[in-house]
Amino acid sequence: MFLIFSYHVIYAQECLLKGQILDETSGSPLANASVSIFNNEKGEGLVFTNIEGKFELKINCEKKYNIEIGHDGYENHSEGLDLENTKLHQFKLKKTLHTASIEEVLVKAKAVKVKGDTIEFNANSFKTGKEEVLEDILKKLPGVEVVNGKLLYKGKEMTQVTVGGREVLGGNQKLLNKNLPSDAVSKIQLNTKFKANPFASSLQEDEQFSLNIELKNNMKSLAFGNATLGGDAKKHTDAQAKVFYFSEKIDATLINDFNTYGKQVFDRDDYFNFFGGISEFTSEGSIYSIRGGNNALNFEPAVNAFEINTYNGAVHFGYEPNKKIKISGFGLANTSNIRYKSKVERVFSDIFKEEDDQDNKNNLLSVMARIRIDYFPTDKGQFKYRLNLNYVDSEEEQFVNRYRNTEFTGFSQNQTKRENYNVSQTLSYIQKTGVDNNIGFYIRHQYQKETPDLMMSSGEQMFNTWGALTPYNGRYLLSQNQDYTTNTLQIYSIYNHLINNTTNLKFKIGTNFSSQNFENKIYDQEKLITADNTVADTGFNYNETFIDATITKKFGNFQADLGAGASFFSEKSDFINGAKTNLNESKILPHAILSYKINTATQITLNYNQAYSFPNAKDLTESYVIQNYRSIFSGNINLRQALTHTSSLNFNHFNSFTFFNIFANLSYVYRERSIQNNSRFEKVFADPSNQDNYTVSQINSLFNSDYEEKTYSGMFRIGKKFTKWLNTRLSGNLAFSDYYIFTNTLNNQETQAVNSTNFTQNYTLTNQIMIKKYLELNIGLNTIFNKFQSLTKQNFDTWRPFADIAWTINKKFLLQTDFSYRIQNRDGERINEAKDLNASLRYNIAKNVYITLVGGNLLGNGAVVNNSFNDIYIETITKNVLGRYFMVNVRYKF
């Protein structure tokens, strides 16, 4: 239905306008000339000429048009068009006496401007009156996508988002996009050639995307924002305060958000992206190659919880006394208290099934801070200093009733307390040398300490690994204390030498030092277990010294980046049992990027690189570590590095003015001697004389696999605005993995290698329909297909049609509603069917006062089902969710 609705639209007959732009004197073609088409002063489209000076543009035949042509160093040319003449139109431009450094192309509809490498969107041209925050505008920009608050352009994540040219809220895109009021935004400027090194040319550094938000003049030097208070008569509360201030030298932001109805204000992505993600804080890193050893933190999705309290508070301050120095600080505190019930079903290879009925509690406190200083002592030098501070305290409690093939096998009570401390700082200096060359010096230090403690109580013996446990009052009690610290220092330099306008040499040299210490102790009824491999105290020292050279050569529209790095690795480990390891190796790592710009709107790029991954202190420690109430882990002292080959092919076509864009990617990853998991299952008998009464424990370890591991993946995003009222987007993600798992079965204790494959497809079609700016409708379909084959075989498919409506009934009323219908099947059998409906009605009771009636989960959906694949089993998790609720909110804008 959605496809038919999207594409069966009757349009007026289209004509194809073909033309060529030439130099009036020499008759040579002019590439990259801008061609703007107008109808009654209204912009209908804009294209750029190719290397032959040619262009093509589809426009309706029955209309009268004017054409405007612009090019650096030439006078603007304009004339009327005769569409009945189908020959190739030739236009000749005269050279100007004075060449402008940046040519501005203006679409007279005032929606879009092109200034050199920057595309500027007029925010009002994309507003319909339903927008609350910045994100609501950004979603309507051509080529721009918003995924969980983060921005993508042409399928690539936005490197930097600023307001008035300044970083705010610590660079956290989600906080900005979901909180900056939409009515404060005047212009959105997209820089398509952003570089962290301000002195680098396009040959010397990869070009990224950045976004700058310009505020309305009446919002500058003025505090603005909104405050919201709402809830119901019983248990739900919604309280928000958002204050923004921007002036010529000072900017400040304060955000507070508390709610009890599942509106998520902080998640796992926010936590990890705070430490860099794609930001410049880590993008200036080196070839650091140790596998991550961090414990996973449990940021439960709030919308999946039955009982929720979440708070997020953020404060930002920026000061720019002059053009030479910028100082900014950012702090964030997040707390959440979540309670929910869930059922976890695991299907194992032995054709037996485990079911866990769980009661879950999760309390989380996260505190973060960032300080940023930018200093330009001269116009040829730049200092940067970044300091990140982070503390996380997570407490989880879980009570589990366990079943195997529907028979009750026992219970477990598990408590986990994790504390993480992290301090990261980077100091860099970049100097322009000569006319075209530059050199950068970088120092980065990171200190991290993790103390995840675990306590488990069970009615049954949990593990056989260190012998029989001691029961107390019919219960077995295990506890674990863990301490993992990491100190890392990176020092490196990058030198760019521009030989000529088409050739550049880049040299990178540096060294990394990492010192790690891992301690772990396990207790039985508070008595330390001292059996073999139960106490860990590992010291680990790693050093990598590297040098890398890259030559970049441009031939017309073709560019090649070819290089190789030489790395010298040194690794030493000391274990509590007196064992030691000492490794010294040298490796060569080639890399290449080949790109061809078909025209100004279309480009194709091929990437290839090699990378090594070295084990960390935890990976090498053979002492046991309890992972959860059903599995333990032991490292492998004989682990060695793994080599990964990565290649990708990217294609993108984007035209801001015809509103048509395509981004596609194909990737292939091949791993040699990959570090794989070996899982072994054991029967744990409560009474050895009764072979029918047992629980199952899982022991995991690591080793270097002799089998190849391959991953193929692809994605695409297609967007087209057909008319003023219809905008369609289609996206897809596909991934196929071919690898081996290593495990035993309960009926056969011998470890076997099993070829496993996993094919996942995810497609989303969205149609955005606008009717006279009064009614906005988004309607679409999301489908997911999973085909997994290993020791078990499973096929999952999910179908989710969805729709949301925003209807401005009059200037006072705004009705918004969203609906989705989720159907999930496993091997053709329906396992879940859920309907979700939410609605709100907003009334502008006074000039700056709004009252909103909110209804959530109106159909009373009680559970959500998620499926996941594991090398050993297939897991289905059913969680109860927040029930139906109603609230009244009052918002004041100032």
Side-chain angles (χ1 to χ4, degrees):
M1 179 184 73
F2 304 103
L3 287 170
I4 295 173
F5 186 79
S6 299
Y7 297 107
H8 283 67
V9 182
I10 298 175
Y11 299 98
Q13 184 180 0
E14 289 185 333
C15 285
L16 181 63
L17 172 65
K18 295 183 178 182
Q20 186 179 32
I21 313 300
L22 305 172
D23 181 287
E24 183 182 61
T25 304
S26 66
S28 58
L30 297 178
N32 297 327
S34 63
V35 181
S36 304
I37 307 298
F38 303 100
N39 173 46
N40 295 327
E41 297 296 310
K42 185 176 180 182
E44 294 289 341
L46 182 144
V47 294
F48 295 88
T49 56
N50 61 16
I51 58 175
E52 297 177 344
K54 294 181 179 180
F55 69 90
E56 292 184 359
L57 188 66
K58 289 182 179 180
I59 50 180
N60 292 336
C61 296
E62 71 274 10
K63 293 184 177 180
K64 295 180 180 180
Y65 296 97
N66 290 322
I67 186 171
E68 276 197 10
I69 303 167
H71 194 285
D72 283 353
Y74 291 85
E75 295 180 0
N76 284 348
H77 176 85
S78 63
E79 65 176 75
L81 283 178
D82 180 9
L83 294 184
E84 295 181 359
N85 191 341
T86 58
K87 69 176 183 180
L88 179 71
H89 294 261
Q90 284 193 342
F91 305 92
K92 296 183 178 181
L93 302 187
K94 295 180 180 180
K95 286 189 176 181
T96 57
L97 296 177
H98 302 285
T99 301
S101 58
I102 297 179
E103 183 72 21
E104 178 176 316
V105 180
L106 173 63
V107 176
K108 293 185 178 179
K110 297 183 180 180
V112 184
K113 285 183 181 180
V114 178
K115 297 180 177 180
D117 300 326
T118 300
I119 302 172
E120 183 177 274
F121 301 95
N122 186 325
N124 287 334
S125 299
F126 295 89
K127 292 179 182 178
T128 61
K130 291 89 178 173
E131 299 79 14
E132 290 283 345
V133 293
L134 172 63
E135 178 181 275
D136 297 330
I137 305 175
L138 296 177
K139 288 179 178 178
K140 298 177 181 180
L141 302 183
V144 176
E145 291 184 272
V146 184
V147 179
N148 191 28
K150 292 183 295 185
L151 294 178
L152 302 177
Y153 178 68
K154 292 186 178 180
K156 293 177 63 177
E157 189 172 330
M158 200 74 66
T159 302
Q160 175 179 275
V161 180
T162 58
V163 178
R166 303 177 192 171
E167 180 189 82
V168 298
L169 296 172
N172 190 302
Q173 297 181 20
K174 182 176 177 179
L175 279 177
L176 179 67
N177 296 336
K178 290 187 175 295
N179 290 284
L180 184 66
S182 60
D183 54 9
V185 180
S186 171
K187 299 173 183 177
I188 301 169
Q189 297 166 337
L190 176 64
N191 183 354
T192 60
K193 294 187 177 181
F194 171 80
K195 291 178 284 292
N197 180 350
F199 310 114
S201 69
S202 60
L203 290 178
Q204 295 174 335
E205 186 171 306
D206 291 339
E207 294 171 346
Q208 303 292 328
F209 303 130
S210 68
L211 203 69
N212 180 58
I213 310 301
E214 287 294 331
L215 303 178
K216 294 178 179 177
N217 289 330
N218 62 350
M219 296 294 184
K220 298 177 181 178
S221 299
L222 175 72
F224 65 92
N226 57 69
T228 302
L229 182 62
D232 59 14
K234 295 182 180 179
K235 63 177 182 178
H236 290 306
T237 303
D238 185 16
Q240 304 168 38
K242 304 172 184 179
V243 183
F244 300 86
Y245 175 81
F246 293 88
S247 67
E248 184 178 352
K249 294 184 178 182
I250 297 175
D251 57 273
T253 305
L254 176 65
I255 296 175
N256 285 281
D257 194 324
F258 173 79
N259 75 89
T260 62
Y261 63 96
K263 183 181 66 174
Q264 193 169 13
V265 292
F266 192 80
D267 61 16
R268 182 187 299 271
D269 285 344
D270 295 322
Y271 172 75
F272 289 107
N273 276 284
F274 182 80
F275 291 104
I278 200 169
S279 78
E280 65 174 298
F281 189 83
T282 53
S283 65
E284 295 172 347
S286 60
I287 314 175
Y288 194 57
S289 52
I290 294 184
R291 280 163 44 98
N294 297 346
N295 284 290
L297 293 172
N298 187 14
F299 292 91
E300 279 293 338
V303 293
N304 287 347
F306 180 77
E307 183 180 337
I308 315 156
N309 292 289
T310 60
Y311 167 77
N312 194 46
V315 61
H316 164 82
F317 178 81
Y319 178 54
E320 187 176 349
N322 53 58
K323 294 300 181 180
K324 288 190 174 184
I325 188 167
K326 296 180 181 179
I327 303 172
S328 64
F330 168 70
L332 180 147
N334 173 263
T335 65
S336 63
N337 305 102
I338 300 172
R339 310 288 184 265
Y340 65 94
K341 295 180 182 292
S342 60
K343 175 179 284 188
V344 180
E345 176 186 287
R346 302 182 186 93
V347 179
F348 288 79
S349 59
D350 289 54
I351 318 301
F352 79 90
K353 182 172 66 174
E354 280 189 353
E355 290 184 4
D356 293 349
D357 285 338
Q358 301 178 346
D359 281 320
N360 303 276
K361 297 180 181 179
N362 177 257
N363 299 320
L364 175 71
L365 167 65
S366 178
V367 180
M368 304 179 179
R370 171 179 287 182
I371 296 173
R372 168 175 172 160
I373 301 174
D374 292 348
Y375 175 56
F376 297 83
T378 68
D379 58 357
K380 294 183 178 181
Q382 179 193 54
F383 279 101
K384 288 183 182 180
Y385 177 72
R386 306 287 186 267
L387 172 65
N388 271 9
L389 306 171
N390 175 250
Y391 170 73
V392 175
D393 184 356
S394 175
E395 296 182 1
E396 301 171 40
E397 185 175 349
Q398 187 180 71
F399 186 85
V400 184
N401 284 318
R402 301 198 302 265
Y403 299 83
R404 186 176 62 255
N405 294 333
T406 71
E407 292 186 7
F408 180 74
T409 60
F411 71 89
S412 294
Q413 186 172 4
N414 317 293
Q415 293 178 302
T416 303
K417 179 177 175 61
R418 294 183 176 94
E419 286 188 289
N420 284 26
Y421 309 84
N422 193 304
V423 180
S424 303
Q425 50 188 331
T426 297
L427 176 65
S428 66
Y429 176 72
I430 303 174
Q431 173 71 44
K432 186 175 182 180
T433 59
V435 178
D436 300 310
N437 308 321
N438 56 84
I439 188 169
F441 302 93
Y442 305 86
I443 301 176
R444 183 184 181 197
H445 174 256
Q446 182 172 7
Y447 171 79
Q448 182 165 328
K449 181 181 179 66
E450 304 172 74
T451 57
D453 295 333
L454 173 66
M455 185 174 68
M456 298 188 302
S457 173
S458 176
E460 293 78 34
Q461 171 91 9
M462 288 174 274
F463 305 107
N464 283 333
T465 307
W466 41 77
L469 301 177
T470 305
Y472 178 75
N473 290 336
R475 289 194 175 196
Y476 295 86
L477 180 64
L478 277 176
S479 59
Q480 176 175 264
N481 294 332
Q482 195 173 139
D483 192 310
Y484 184 35
T485 59
T486 302
N487 249 311
T488 301
L489 177 66
Q490 302 178 21
I491 304 172
Y492 59 99
S493 178
I494 300 174
Y495 175 67
N496 281 294
H497 181 73
L498 192 67
I499 298 174
N500 53 50
N501 290 335
T502 61
T503 310
N504 184 74
L505 275 175
K506 176 187 284 188
F507 296 97
K508 188 173 185 180
I509 186 170
T511 186
N512 304 316
F513 301 92
S514 179
S515 174
Q516 301 181 13
N517 188 73
F518 174 58
E519 298 179 9
N520 192 67
K521 297 178 181 179
I522 301 174
Y523 299 86
D524 175 16
Q525 300 288 350
E526 300 184 355
K527 181 181 179 181
L528 180 66
I529 300 175
T530 57
D532 290 344
N533 294 334
T534 55
V535 178
D537 188 355
T538 301
F540 176 83
N541 290 285
Y542 171 88
N543 173 243
E544 173 188 2
T545 301
F546 61 90
I547 184 169
D548 185 272
T550 303
I551 183 168
T552 300
K553 182 66 178 177
K554 194 170 186 179
F555 304 91
N557 285 350
F558 175 78
Q559 180 172 313
D561 297 75
L562 305 175
S567 290
F568 308 93
F569 304 98
S570 174
E571 174 190 308
K572 295 180 181 180
S573 301
D574 297 294
F575 303 92
I576 194 171
N577 60 3
K580 297 178 182 293
T581 64
N582 194 337
L583 176 67
N584 295 280
E585 290 190 271
S586 301
K587 301 293 181 182
I588 301 296
L589 301 168
H591 52 84
I593 302 176
L594 306 177
S595 63
Y596 180 69
K597 185 176 287 188
I598 300 172
N599 53 48
T600 54
T602 310
Q603 182 169 321
I604 187 168
T605 304
L606 177 65
N607 292 268
Y608 172 77
N609 67 71
Q610 293 182 10
Y612 277 93
S613 178
F614 279 76
N616 58 42
K618 285 186 177 181
D619 295 338
L620 296 168
T621 303
E622 293 186 331
S623 301
Y624 293 108
V625 176
I626 301 174
Q627 294 177 308
N628 54 52
Y629 62 88
R630 56 185 307 279
S631 69
I632 57 177
F633 171 81
S634 175
N636 182 354
I637 195 174
N638 296 313
L639 276 182
R640 291 296 176 261
Q641 73 279 355
L643 176 62
T644 300
H645 303 260
T646 303
S647 55
S648 64
L649 180 65
N650 299 310
F651 173 84
N652 63 67
H653 171 83
F654 176 78
N655 193 311
S656 299
F657 304 94
T658 58
F659 298 102
F660 178 66
N661 62 87
I662 300 175
F663 177 81
N665 167 269
L666 292 174
S667 297
Y668 171 66
V669 178
Y670 171 73
R671 297 180 177 89
E672 298 180 28
R673 301 286 293 165
S674 62
I675 298 177
Q676 289 280 4
N677 188 57
N678 182 0
S679 296
R680 182 165 55 88
F681 290 90
E682 291 184 346
K683 293 181 179 180
V684 181
F685 297 99
D687 180 2
S689 64
N690 183 359
Q691 297 293 303
D692 294 326
N693 184 14
Y694 65 89
T695 58
V696 179
S697 68
Q698 179 179 341
I699 303 174
N700 300 312
S701 187
L702 299 174
F703 73 106
N704 292 103
S705 172
D706 292 326
Y707 293 89
E708 299 174 348
E709 182 179 343
K710 304 173 183 177
T711 302
Y712 307 84
S713 61
M715 60 83 62
F716 64 86
R717 293 184 177 92
I718 303 174
K720 172 63 178 174
K721 187 173 184 179
F722 292 97
T723 67
K724 292 180 181 179
W725 55 271
L726 177 60
N727 188 8
T728 298
R729 293 185 180 183
L730 176 65
S731 64
N733 290 275
L734 302 90
F736 178 79
S737 300
D738 185 354
Y739 57 99
Y740 281 81
I741 67 168
F742 303 85
T743 187
N744 68 318
T745 67
L746 290 180
N747 297 326
N748 180 6
Q749 288 295 297
E750 185 176 345
T751 299
Q752 56 183 314
V754 180
N755 185 221
S756 302
T757 59
N758 181 12
F759 185 33
T760 301
Q761 304 171 71
N762 190 332
Y763 305 100
T764 302
L765 171 68
T766 303
N767 300 287
Q768 184 182 67
I769 302 165
M770 185 70 60
I771 302 177
K772 294 184 178 180
K773 286 194 175 185
Y774 298 116
L775 182 64
E776 183 177 331
L777 171 65
N778 289 298
I779 187 168
L781 174 67
N782 172 247
T783 60
I784 303 174
F785 305 96
N786 296 111
K787 185 175 182 179
F788 181 77
Q789 181 172 332
S790 186
L791 291 170
T792 59
K793 298 180 181 180
Q794 292 279 330
N795 293 329
F796 290 96
D797 60 272
T798 302
W799 302 80
R800 189 177 68 89
F802 59 88
D804 60 80
I805 299 172
W807 179 21
T808 304
I809 301 174
N810 55 41
K811 292 183 179 181
K812 293 288 187 178
F813 285 96
L814 172 62
L815 175 65
Q816 293 179 294
T817 182
D818 62 86
F819 171 79
S820 66
Y821 181 29
R822 191 181 190 194
I823 301 171
Q824 294 171 281
N825 300 309
R826 180 173 59 197
D827 292 335
E829 180 181 350
R830 184 74 50 87
I831 61 172
N832 186 49
E833 187 173 338
K835 300 175 183 177
D836 190 26
L837 176 64
N838 304 288
S840 67
L841 179 63
R842 189 185 73 186
Y843 175 58
N844 187 189
I845 193 171
K847 182 179 180 181
N848 295 320
V849 180
Y850 300 82
I851 185 168
T852 305
L853 306 177
V854 180
N857 196 4
L858 295 176
L859 300 179
N861 182 42
V864 61
V865 178
N866 291 300
N867 306 300
S868 63
F869 305 106
N870 183 285
D871 291 342
I872 311 304
Y873 54 79
I874 294 173
E875 187 173 73
T876 302
I877 303 176
T878 304
K879 294 182 180 180
N880 68 332
V881 297
L882 193 70
R884 185 184 293 111
Y885 62 91
F886 298 93
M887 296 192 307
V888 179
N889 288 343
V890 177
R891 172 170 295 184
Y892 174 71
K893 291 186 177 183
F894 54 90

